[in-house]
């Protein structure tokens, strides 16, 4: 009597379920524009003054250059591998692995850092509602577990669920802020017109350049829709549109919010602890609006915990398919069709990091600044590599690439400038050691690449080859 055995195959990612708005939600949620608006304009104003809008315009142009190159790849290579897959087309397996690891650091770092922001604002909201102890360490730890656990649950439950939650929360958050800013301009009346912000006279160009750095950091994660190549409807058209239009929309939002905050607060913008709340007080918004505003920013931070975790899961999933990481990570949940094994590590790891820092007495918003900075280095490396890969790929394939050369040059120079501006002058501790932590992480990750190259060299030939058609029923 013979016994047959059937090898279990991967259920694959869910196919063609993400609409254009849902892809845009993934991109915008990764940016977290509401959280950026709450702080970045004030930080830029300290150096750029009335040129703050120009700093955001320059940052938007740089990001659109990066987006142009990513979109070029997305039109030709629909995959869940994101920049890992794209860079492979131009720079081979070593470059792809570097981009993949850098993007993983960026995505996970932004998720873990934004968890701190969500905890901080939810704590503030509870205090507003009379729970005075909500700012204590036990409360903060409990919030980290609840919020981080919720984010992990939604990413495992399904891409449409997590994307729709991100979309609703981010739209709600942006709507709340727009209500505040538009109301402020209406209240100002004729005084809302501030011609000094449209003049270069007296604008400190060095301050604008430095402000551009902060503006660029406010866009990191904008291309995250490209990790949904399997799950998107008509991915080769929908993903490039989501990337470019989300960058344009967020750029316009940043410029408008910067203009309004300066018009309302003037020089006070560089002095207040919470610019949006200061704007609300300046224009005499009703008392019930403050908790709504705080909730809106908290919701934005939660959305940006969810969205980058989706990216982490899909990059590791593709790496598992190709053998660059253990193959068990190249399988999805049988019911939810999400890369649950990765998410069950990445989500709790973010929670644990935040808890450790909270136990050390770190303020939740300091966690956001520190860990987001760590993640930002990953994005800068990934964006630089995809820009270089775009030039190499189009040259080799004989594709007209004059615009690729222009946009790649702008992107690489800008990313190099951002890096230098973050390490010199040397910032205070712990920001001064974060670049070295990033470098050590990259080197540690490359131990896996060198092991694969030595022991499983055939795997390198599969890097960057996993596209939509190969993502189901194998593994």
């Amino acid at each position: 009597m013979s016994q047959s055995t059937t090898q279990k195959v991967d259920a694959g990612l869910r196919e063609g379920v993400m609409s254009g708005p849902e892809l845009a939600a993934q991109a915008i949620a990764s940016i977290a524009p509401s959280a950026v608006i709450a702080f970045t304009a004030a930080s830029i104003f300290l150096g750029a003054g009335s040129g703050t809008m120009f700093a955001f315009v320059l940052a938007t142009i740089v990001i659109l250059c990066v987006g142009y190159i990513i979109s070029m790849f997305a039109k030709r290579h629909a995959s869940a591998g994101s920049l890992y897959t794209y860079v492979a087309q131009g720079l081979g397996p070593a470059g792809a692995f570097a981009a993949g690891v850098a993007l993983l650091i960026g995505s996970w770092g932004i998720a873990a850092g934004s968890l701190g922001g969500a905890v901080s604002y939810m704590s503030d909201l509870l205090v507003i509602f009379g729970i005075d102890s909500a700012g204590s360490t036990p409360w903060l730890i409990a919030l980290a577990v609840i919020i981080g656990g919720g984010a992990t649950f939604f990413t495992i439950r399904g891409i449409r669920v997590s994307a729709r939650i991100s979309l609703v929360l981010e739209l709600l958050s942006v709507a709340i802020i727009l209500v505040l800013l538009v109301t402020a301009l209406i209240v100002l009346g004729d005084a809302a017109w501030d011609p000094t912000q449209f003049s270069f006279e007296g604008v400190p160009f060095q301050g604008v350049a430095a402000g551009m750095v902060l503006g660029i950091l406010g866009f990191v994660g904008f291309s995250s829709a490209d990790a949904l190549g399997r799950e998107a409807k008509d991915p080769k058209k929908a993903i490039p549109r989501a990337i470019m239009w989300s960058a344009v929309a967020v750029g316009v939002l940043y410029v408008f919010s910067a203009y309004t905050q300066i018009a309302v607060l003037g020089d006070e913008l560089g002095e207040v602890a919470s610019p949006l709340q200061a704007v609300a007080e300046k224009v005499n918004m009703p008392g019930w609006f403050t908790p709504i505003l705080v909730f809106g920013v908290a919701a934005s931070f939660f959305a940006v915990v969810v969205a980058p975790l989706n990216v982490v899961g899909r990059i590791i999933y593709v790496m598992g398919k190709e053998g660059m990481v253990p193959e068990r990570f190249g399988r999805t949940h049988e019911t939810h069709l999400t890369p649950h094994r990765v998410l069950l590590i990445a989500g709790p790891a973010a929670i644990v990091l935040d808890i450790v820092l909270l136990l050390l007495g770190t303020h939740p918003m300091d966690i956001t600044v520190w860990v987001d900075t760590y993640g930002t280095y990953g994005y800068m490396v990934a964006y630089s590599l995809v820009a270089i890969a775009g030039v190499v790929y189009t040259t080799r394939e004989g594709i007209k690439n004059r615009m690729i050369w222009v946009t790649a040059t702008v992107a690489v120079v800008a990313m190099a400038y951002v890096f230098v501006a973050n390490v010199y002058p040397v910032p205070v501790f712990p920001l001064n050691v974060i670049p070295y932590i990033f470098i050590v992480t990259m080197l540690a990750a490359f131990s896996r690449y060198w092991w694969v190259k030595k022991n499983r060299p055939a795997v390198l030939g599969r890097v960057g080859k996993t596209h939509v058609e190969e993502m189901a029923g194998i593994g």
Side-chain angles (χ1 to χ4, degrees), residues 13 23 70 73-89 103 223-232 234-236 239-240 243 311 314-315 317-319 321-322 462-471:
L13 295 167
L23 291 173
I70 294 174
F73 278 117
K75 290 175 182 177
R76 292 168 171 81
H77 304 279
S79 172
S82 185
L83 307 188
Y84 162 77
T85 297
Y86 301 160
V87 172
Q89 314 310 314
L103 191 57
S223 66
S224 62
D226 63 6
L228 305 179
R230 171 73 180 176
E231 291 138 310
D234 195 7
K236 293 182 180 180
I239 289 176
I243 291 171
V311 177
R314 280 143 188 83
I315 294 173
Y317 172 73
V318 172
M319 285 183 162
K321 284 287 188 191
E322 296 176 347
R462 301 204 296 268
V463 171
K465 304 295 195 301
T466 305
H467 304 305
V468 168
E469 59 273 14
E470 292 120 9
M471 285 187 198

Side-chain angles (χ1 to χ4, degrees), residues 174-239:
V174 170
I176 292 169
I177 291 175
L178 284 177
V179 166
L180 171 62
L181 298 178
V182 172
T183 302
L185 292 178
I186 293 173
V187 170
L188 285 179
D190 293 340
W193 171 244
D194 184 5
T196 61
Q197 294 194 57
F198 296 91
S199 172
F200 288 103
E201 185 176 352
V203 171
F205 288 101
Q206 185 175 358
V208 171
M212 180 194 70
V213 172
L214 294 175
I216 290 172
L217 302 186
F219 280 93
V220 294
F222 81 103
S223 66
S224 62
D226 63 6
L228 305 179
R230 171 73 180 176
E231 291 138 310
K233 298 176 182 176
D234 195 7
K236 293 182 180 180
K237 290 183 179 179
I239 289 176

Side-chain angles (χ1 to χ4, degrees), residues 77-124:
H77 304 279
S79 172
S82 185
L83 307 188
Y84 162 77
T85 297
Y86 301 160
V87 172
Q89 314 310 314
L91 302 182
F97 189 83
V101 171
L103 191 57
L104 287 172
I105 291 173
S107 300
W108 182 84
I110 296 298
S114 297
L115 177 58
V119 167
S120 179
Y121 273 85
M122 281 304 299
S123 170
D124 291 345

Side-chain angles (χ1 to χ4, degrees), residues 17-302:
V17 296
M18 297 290 289
S19 64
E22 288 168 331
L23 291 173
Q26 169 70 24
I28 292 174
S30 290
I31 300 171
S34 302
V36 173
I37 290 169
F39 300 101
T40 305
S43 300
I44 294 175
F45 181 80
L46 291 173
S50 61
T52 299
M53 277 204 317
F54 294 128
F56 275 119
V57 170
L58 289 175
T60 303
I61 291 172
V62 170
I63 289 300
L64 287 175
C65 287
V66 178
Y68 182 83
I69 298 168
I70 294 174
S71 296
M72 180 274 296
F73 278 117
K75 290 175 182 177
R76 292 168 171 81
H77 304 279
S79 172
S82 185
L83 307 188
Y84 162 77
T85 297
Y86 301 160
V87 172
Q89 314 310 314
L91 302 182
F97 189 83
V101 171
L103 191 57
L104 287 172
I105 291 173
S107 300
W108 182 84
I110 296 298
S114 297
L115 177 58
V119 167
S120 179
Y121 273 85
M122 281 304 299
S123 170
D124 291 345
L125 186 63
L126 293 175
V127 170
I128 290 174
F129 285 124
I131 305 177
D132 295 333
S133 60
S136 64
T137 300
W139 264 97
L140 296 176
I141 290 175
L143 287 172
V145 172
I146 293 169
I147 295 171
T152 304
F153 170 79
F154 288 126
T155 56
I156 292 174
R157 183 63 180 79
I159 186 61
R160 296 195 77 183
V161 172
S162 61
R164 287 176 176 179
I165 288 173
S166 296
L167 176 62
V168 170
L169 291 178
E170 201 57 54
L171 286 179
L172 178 63
S173 179
V174 170
I176 292 169
I177 291 175
L178 284 177
V179 166
L180 171 62
L181 298 178
V182 172
T183 302
L185 292 178
I186 293 173
V187 170
L188 285 179
D190 293 340
W193 171 244
D194 184 5
T196 61
Q197 294 194 57
F198 296 91
S199 172
F200 288 103
E201 185 176 352
V203 171
F205 288 101
Q206 185 175 358
V208 171
M212 180 194 70
V213 172
L214 294 175
I216 290 172
L217 302 186
F219 280 93
V220 294
F222 81 103
S223 66
S224 62
D226 63 6
L228 305 179
R230 171 73 180 176
E231 291 138 310
K233 298 176 182 176
D234 195 7
K236 293 182 180 180
K237 290 183 179 179
I239 289 176
R241 289 173 183 170
I243 291 171
M244 297 300 286
W245 282 110
S246 63
V248 170
V250 171
V252 170
L253 182 62
Y254 285 167
V255 171
F256 173 70
S257 67
Y259 172 85
T260 306
Q261 290 181 64
I262 294 172
V264 175
L265 298 177
D267 291 340
E268 293 180 32
L269 180 58
E271 302 168 0
V272 295
S274 179
L276 293 180
Q277 292 186 44
V279 170
E281 293 172 3
K282 196 84 169 181
V283 298
N284 296 316
M285 293 293 284
W288 51 261
F289 185 78
T290 298
I292 293 177
L293 180 62
V294 173
F295 172 78
V297 179
S300 179
F301 273 117
F302 178 78

Side-chain angles (χ1 to χ4, degrees), residues 326-359:
E327 282 82 352
R328 63 179 176 272
F329 293 118
R331 297 177 182 272
T332 58
H333 192 279
E334 292 182 11
T335 303
H336 304 312
L337 303 183
T338 54
H340 60 296
R341 291 172 177 169
V342 179
L343 297 170
L344 285 173
I345 296 174
I351 297 170
V352 169
L353 175 62
D354 280 40
I355 290 175
V356 170
L357 292 173
L358 288 170
L359 289 173

Side-chain angles (χ1 to χ4, degrees), residues 1-8:
M1 182 176 180
S2 63
Q3 184 178 4
S4 63
T5 59
T6 303
Q7 184 179 3
K8 193 174 183 179

